[in-house]
Amino acid sequence: METLLGIIRPLFWGLLMLSALVFVHEGGHFLASRAVGVRVTEFFLGLPCRFNLHHVSRRIGTKFGVTPLLLGGYAMVCGMEPEGDSDVAKRVLAEVHRRGTATVAELSEALSISEEDALAACVQLLDWGSIEGRYDVAAGEKPGVYYPSTYAAAPRDKAGATLLDGAQFKRGEATRSGEAWEPPMGEDAFFERERSHTYAGKGFFARAFILVAGVAVNLVSGFLLLMAIYMFVGVTATVDVNTIGTVETASPAAAAGIEAGDTVLSVAGTTTDSFSDIANIIGALDLSEPFDMVLARDGKELTVTIDPEGADAIGITAPQETVHLNPAQAASVTWSYLALTADSIMQLVNPQRTLEVLDSSTSVVGISVMAAAAAESGASTFLSVAALISFSLGFMNLLPIPPLDGGKLVIEIVQAVIRRPLSVKVQTALSYIGIALFGALFIYLLRADIIRFIL
C-alpha cells in the first residue's frame, strides 16, 4: 500500500499543479480572444473528452467545464487551427441559415457540390461557431468521434450576431437554434462578417496578442504569486549572530553537550561576535584535534571540548528567522528568478549549451516529485514551486517551434512579411516537425527522471 501511495501522491500533486498552470495559460488565450472580438466556443480544465461536466454561459455562449482527463486545459478559439478555407463555405453558410437545418446530402444536392465539399464547409463553419451540429445518436454519431451529418443555423439577432458575440447579441430579437434566418446583407458580406469574429479573420497584431496572452498570464500570475509569498508568508533568512541555531543529532557538537540557543563567546581561544566568525575559525582549525569552545547559557559561562575526529564539520547551524519583504524587495527578488528562468530556457536554442540545460531539466515525472515534496512542506512552498514552473511554462511556450505559441508567432511574422498566408500543408508539416522534436525531448527527459528518481 505504501508503494502504491508513493506513486499516486506525486502523480496527484504533479497533475494538479500542471493542470492549473496550463488552465491559467489557456485562460490568457481566452481573455485575449474575447477582448479582440474572437469567438471562443469552449474553455475547459482538462483535455478534450466527450464525457465532461459543463455549463454554457448565457452571456457569451462559451461552454465552460471540466473533463476527467486532468492533464491541462484548452480554449477552443474559433478559426485558430490552420484548416484552410472551403471554396463553398459562404454558400453553405447562407443555405444552412435559409433552411434552418440541413443534412450534408441536402446541401450537396441544393448547391450542386460533392458531399465531401459540403462536409468540409460545414466543419469549417462549425469551428467558426457560425452553425451548430446535430448528432444523430441512433445512427451512431457521437460528439468527439464523428462529425454530424446534420447542421443547424445558430440563433441570430436581426443584425446577424450570435450569442458567442457577447454584448453585440440582442437576445430579445433573436431566432431560435435551427430556425430559418435570411441574411440581410448578402452571402459575401455575411461570410466576411462571420470570418471577422475568428482568429483567421483578424489582423497580425490581434493574432499576436492572442498568442502571447497565454505566456503573459503565466508570467504575470507567477510573478504576483511569488511576490505575495515573499511579502505575506515571508522568507527564511540566516541571522549572522554568535548564537547556535540548531545542533545535528549524533554530531561532534551534540556529543560535546552544545545546545541550540547557546551563545558562542570564543572558539579555540579566539573571541567570536558572529556566526561568520565561528565558521571562519573552525574552518581554519585542524579538525583531527580537539578544541575548546566557551559558551554562555542561561546567564552562565561554560567551556566544552569538541572532538571532531576528522569530520568535515561539527554539526551546528546559524539561527534563522522569517523576514517579510516590502513590495520593492519582493519584486526585485522575483524579477531575479524570472530573469534566471528566461536565461535558462533561452539557452536551449544555443547548441553549445543545449545538452547542459537538458541535463539539468526535468519532465512531468520530475515535476510531480517536486510538487509532492513541496506539498508536504506546506502551501507556501507548493505555491512557490508552482510560480517558478509557471515561469518555465511561459518561456517554453515562447520558443520558436510550432505548435508552441512562439512557433505560431513566427509563422504570423513570416506571413506578415511575405503578405500572404503559408499553405495549410506547410503549417501542418512544421507542426509535425515540432511535435516530433518535443516527443524526442520528452523521452530524453523522462529517461533521465526515471534514472534519477526511480532506479
Side-chain angles (χ1 to χ4, degrees), residues 7 50 125 133 154 204 208 213 242 254 273 278 396 401:
I7 296 174
R50 63 192 183 95
L125 297 172
F204 169 76
N242 60 336
D273 296 316
I278 300 171
M396 279 290 292
I401 305 172

Side-chain angles (χ1 to χ4, degrees), residues 88-103 106-113 125 131 151-153 180-183 187 190:
V88 297
K90 67 176 63 175
R91 296 169 59 199
V92 169
L93 175 66
E95 187 66 21
V96 169
H97 281 81
R98 291 192 189 100
R99 289 172 173 261
T101 61
T103 65
E106 290 171 343
L107 293 170
S108 172
E109 181 179 356
L111 300 175
S112 300
I113 58 177
L125 297 172
I131 59 176
Y151 294 86
W181 181 81
E182 182 67 32
E187 287 186 4
F190 183 31

Side-chain angles (χ1 to χ4, degrees), residues 203-436:
F204 169 76
F205 290 106
R207 292 185 183 186
F209 176 57
I210 292 172
L211 290 175
V212 301
V215 173
V217 168
N218 272 133
L219 299 183
V220 171
S221 61
F223 196 95
L224 294 177
L225 179 58
L226 212 52
M227 275 191 64
I229 291 171
Y230 291 151
M231 289 190 297
F232 301 113
V233 178
V235 294
T236 301
T238 298
V239 184
D240 194 17
V241 295
N242 60 336
T243 302
I244 304 297
T246 61
V247 179
E248 295 179 13
T249 304
S251 65
I258 297 176
E259 298 178 1
D262 287 348
T263 299
V264 181
L265 303 178
S266 69
V267 176
T270 303
T271 302
T272 57
D273 296 316
S274 66
F275 203 87
S276 296
D277 290 343
I278 300 171
N280 291 334
I281 296 169
I282 294 176
L285 293 175
D286 179 3
L287 296 185
S288 64
E289 299 291 337
F291 63 91
D292 291 337
M293 184 179 285
V294 179
L295 309 173
R297 180 189 300 167
D298 299 329
K300 298 179 180 180
E301 188 175 300
L302 66 153
T303 301
V304 298
T305 300
I306 301 171
D307 188 358
E309 297 180 344
D312 294 333
I314 66 170
I316 60 173
T317 63
Q320 296 181 323
E321 66 179 9
T322 300
V323 178
H324 296 274
L325 305 184
N326 61 43
Q329 292 171 328
S332 177
V333 175
T334 303
W335 179 262
S336 67
Y337 279 116
L338 184 69
L340 186 64
T341 305
D343 179 69
S344 178
I345 297 298
M346 291 305 108
Q347 292 301 324
L348 279 172
V349 297
N350 180 353
Q352 296 179 340
R353 297 287 307 279
T354 300
L355 286 179
E356 179 184 339
V357 174
L358 289 179
D359 288 339
S360 63
S361 302
T362 189
S363 71
V364 175
V365 172
I367 292 174
S368 297
V369 172
M370 289 190 295
E376 291 180 357
S377 298
S380 62
T381 303
F382 180 79
L383 293 176
S384 296
V385 172
L388 295 176
I389 294 178
S390 185
F391 290 162
S392 296
L393 180 64
F395 286 121
M396 279 290 292
N397 266 282
L398 274 181
L399 291 175
I401 305 172
L404 298 180
D405 296 331
K408 292 180 179 179
L409 184 59
V410 169
I411 291 175
E412 293 295 342
I413 292 172
V414 170
Q415 291 180 148
V417 171
I418 65 177
R419 297 187 178 182
R420 61 180 176 82
L422 292 175
S423 68
V424 175
K425 185 176 181 181
V426 170
Q427 293 190 52
T428 302
L430 291 174
S431 292
Y432 283 150
I433 293 172
I435 291 172

